[in-house]
Amino acid sequence: MLVFDSGLGGLTVARALRRLAAGQVRLDYAADFAGFPYGDWEEDALKAHLVALMGRLLQRSAASVVVIACNTASTVALEALRAQYPHISFVGTVPAIKPAAQATQSGVIGVLATPGTVRREYTEKLVHTFAWHHRVVLHGARGLAALAEEKLRTGKVDGEQLRREIAPAFVQAADGAHTDVVVLGCTHYPLLLPELRKAAPWPVLFIDPSDAIARQALRVMQQARGRKGAAAPLQVALLTGEAAGWTRWELVNLLEGEGFGKIVMLEDA
Ligand code: DGL
């Protein structure tokens, strides 16, 4: 199985996969650091980029299941990827609006995602289908994914910046109803969960979809192969470039710690 993201947010899904199927699935990881962040890309350009990049990744990974562990990519390119690579089972990641609609008591839901994801027709359809009877506040956070990567690198988070990034998702309506559920609509954000809980202006339920995505990916994998497949000792991380702000050593260290014993730079491979 290949887990793909623009950066390191997909590790939240890779970790969940490892928790749920430790040793039973060979997991490769791909990070498109050369394209990160996806949040501000124009829609057609991002779609074309993802379809082309997937072809290069599939030459390096023998995966039959690819998890697009990125809301920004899934909401724009899932259909195009399925059409272009019909032999691959793609599992997408889209904002968890349906569970949020079921969980809210106040009827006010916040969605934190990238500016790209909140603009998508796909996201609008999710709101209309599952949460039409609630108030849904979509907030495109510009720097939150980068803050999550920064936390992975340094262990630190700028609390003030975090508060500013999330504030618009928290609202109090004229009738007094408050946001009580916040969807983490970008795979980077669960990396910040403890800090998000502290920075929230009042307690809310944060919906972290990592486990649900991992379970879905494992179901698809079983259907695709009829069995879970043998674990391979060396799991590969495929990178399209350097991660901004990271030394090669820091990145290798992190990825090895996550279980990726071999790191391949696409341009040198
Ligand atoms: N992790 C990606 C997502 O789930 C977005 C990060 C970015 O590239 O801006 O949307």
Side-chain angles (χ1 to χ4, degrees):
M1 189 183 298
L2 173 68
V3 176
F4 170 82
D5 184 32
S6 56
L8 297 168
L11 291 178
T12 55
V13 177
R15 287 174 182 174
L17 279 162
R18 194 154 297 133
R19 259 197 318 276
L20 294 169
Q24 296 175 65
V25 174
R26 166 168 170 164
L27 213 62
D28 292 337
Y29 190 81
D32 183 14
F33 290 126
F36 179 86
Y38 283 170
D40 286 324
W41 275 66
E42 191 273 316
E43 206 160 312
D44 287 339
L46 182 57
K47 194 191 291 183
H49 171 75
L50 286 164
V51 170
L53 174 58
M54 190 53 61
R56 292 168 66 207
L57 295 174
L58 291 172
Q59 284 168 4
R60 306 276 167 203
S61 168
S64 55
V65 175
V66 176
V67 183
I68 306 295
C70 175
N71 294 256
T72 318
S74 297
T75 52
V76 76
L78 210 47
E79 275 174 36
L81 289 168
R82 287 182 174 138
Q84 183 73 27
Y85 305 103
H87 59 296
I88 299 292
S89 302
F90 287 97
V91 176
T93 312
V94 300
I97 290 174
K98 186 179 177 185
Q102 288 160 351
T104 182
Q105 301 280 317
S106 68
V108 187
I109 297 169
V111 178
L112 284 172
T114 66
T117 299
V118 304
R119 279 197 304 268
R120 302 273 187 266
E121 208 183 310
Y122 198 118
T123 307
E124 197 185 312
K125 278 196 195 140
L126 288 174
V127 174
H128 283 152
T129 309
F130 299 113
W132 52 271
H133 49 315
H134 294 311
R135 276 169 282 192
V136 180
V137 179
L138 299 170
H139 172 52
R142 288 230 123 69
L144 213 44
L147 268 186
E149 299 223 338
E150 183 68 8
K151 178 187 168 183
L152 275 179
R153 190 174 68 82
T154 63
K156 296 197 193 96
V157 176
D158 177 341
E160 206 30 61
Q161 194 188 344
L162 183 63
R163 267 188 288 281
R164 277 199 305 274
E165 291 278 352
I166 68 170
F170 291 79
V171 298
Q172 182 176 4
D175 58 7
H178 286 62
T179 306
D180 65 346
V181 175
V182 173
V183 175
L184 300 181
C186 166
T187 50
H188 280 74
Y189 302 167
L191 294 167
L192 293 167
L193 202 45
E195 292 80 7
L196 284 166
R197 290 203 173 103
K198 271 196 221 139
W202 54 81
V204 294
L205 173 69
F206 283 103
I207 299 202
D208 168 4
S210 317
D211 280 3
I213 300 160
R215 277 194 295 272
Q216 173 63 6
L218 292 171
R219 275 193 293 272
V220 168
M221 177 96 178
Q222 269 169 320
Q223 282 160 9
R225 304 174 68 180
R227 59 191 174 81
K228 275 183 182 160
L234 208 58
Q235 310 191 101
V236 178
L238 301 161
L239 313 179
T240 61
E242 303 289 344
W246 293 67
T247 63
R248 178 77 71 107
W249 180 84
E250 284 170 332
L251 196 59
V252 168
N253 223 17
L254 173 88
L255 290 170
E256 281 183 358
E258 299 283 336
F260 302 101
K262 184 177 172 197
I263 296 176
V264 175
M265 280 288 176
L266 242 56
E267 70 269 12
D268 338 313

